[in-house]
Amino acid sequence: MNISSFILPILIILLFIYSYAKKVPIFSKFVEGAEKALKLVYDIFPYVVGIFIAVSLFRVSGLSSALSKFMQPITSFFGIPSELTEFIAVRPLSGSGSLALLESIYKTYGADSYIARCASVIMGSSETIFYVTAVYFSGTKVKKLKGAIPIALTASLSGTLIACLLCRIM
């Protein structure tokens, strides 16, 4: 048996012991936290639904394909495989959409190919920017994003360039 299967139960037992020692009412605190979590879900739900609808429309309308065709000369100039343009366009919008594209890349080019390695590093080193900003900024009641999205997109593009460069070198 692996020791990692005992970590979570041990942490829970330690939490109960600590709470008992500090005389914290565990169940009432749990209910209080669950209540706050439900309120947060209620507050951010419209933003999450909006992002899911926007992502679906982006892919179904063909805008994702058109954007990837438009980006192809730019990505090729920077040494990013043209096969990754749609993946790069979808990644900031949708985690599940980019995961589906990653799976398609694996099936088409093989998991050990240069294209698949680049896509894997991009997937692991980037984030679904619009989803994250919708969820986190709505949870904090911040409405003026100012430079958050452009900075995040610039960082994601930089990470993509570096990912492909590193995959080419290694």
Side-chain angles (χ1 to χ4, degrees), residues 4-152:
S4 63
S5 51
F6 292 108
I7 292 175
L8 191 57
I10 289 171
L11 286 175
I12 292 172
I13 290 169
L14 288 174
L15 178 67
F16 279 122
I17 293 170
Y18 179 78
S19 299
Y20 182 76
K22 292 287 187 175
K23 298 185 189 312
V24 174
I26 298 170
F27 187 73
S28 62
K29 290 296 181 181
F30 170 78
V31 170
E32 183 182 317
E35 183 180 337
K36 288 180 183 177
L38 287 174
K39 183 177 176 350
L40 179 65
V41 168
Y42 177 77
D43 289 344
I44 67 172
F45 187 73
Y47 297 97
V48 173
V49 169
I51 288 295
F52 283 146
I53 290 172
V55 168
S56 295
L57 289 174
F58 181 70
R59 296 225 41 226
V60 171
S61 70
L63 188 58
S64 134
S65 303
L67 182 62
S68 67
K69 287 179 185 173
F70 174 76
M71 286 174 37
Q72 192 168 0
I74 299 166
T75 56
S76 295
F77 175 76
F78 287 109
I80 300 171
S82 59
E83 296 85 356
L84 295 179
T85 52
E86 186 176 11
F87 176 75
I88 294 167
V90 170
R91 181 65 183 141
L93 298 170
S94 169
S96 58
S98 56
L99 189 60
L101 287 172
L102 181 65
E103 182 182 0
S104 173
I105 289 168
Y106 288 162
K107 286 181 181 175
T108 306
Y109 303 102
D112 290 333
S113 67
Y114 169 67
I115 294 167
R117 285 184 291 136
C118 286
S120 297
V121 176
I122 292 167
M123 184 76 169
S125 63
S126 62
E127 187 56 77
T128 53
I129 295 166
F130 293 101
Y131 173 78
V132 169
T133 53
V135 170
Y136 290 124
F137 282 100
S138 67
T140 60
K141 305 293 184 226
V142 173
K143 300 298 178 213
K144 296 179 182 176
L145 300 179
K146 294 184 182 175
I149 291 176
I151 290 169

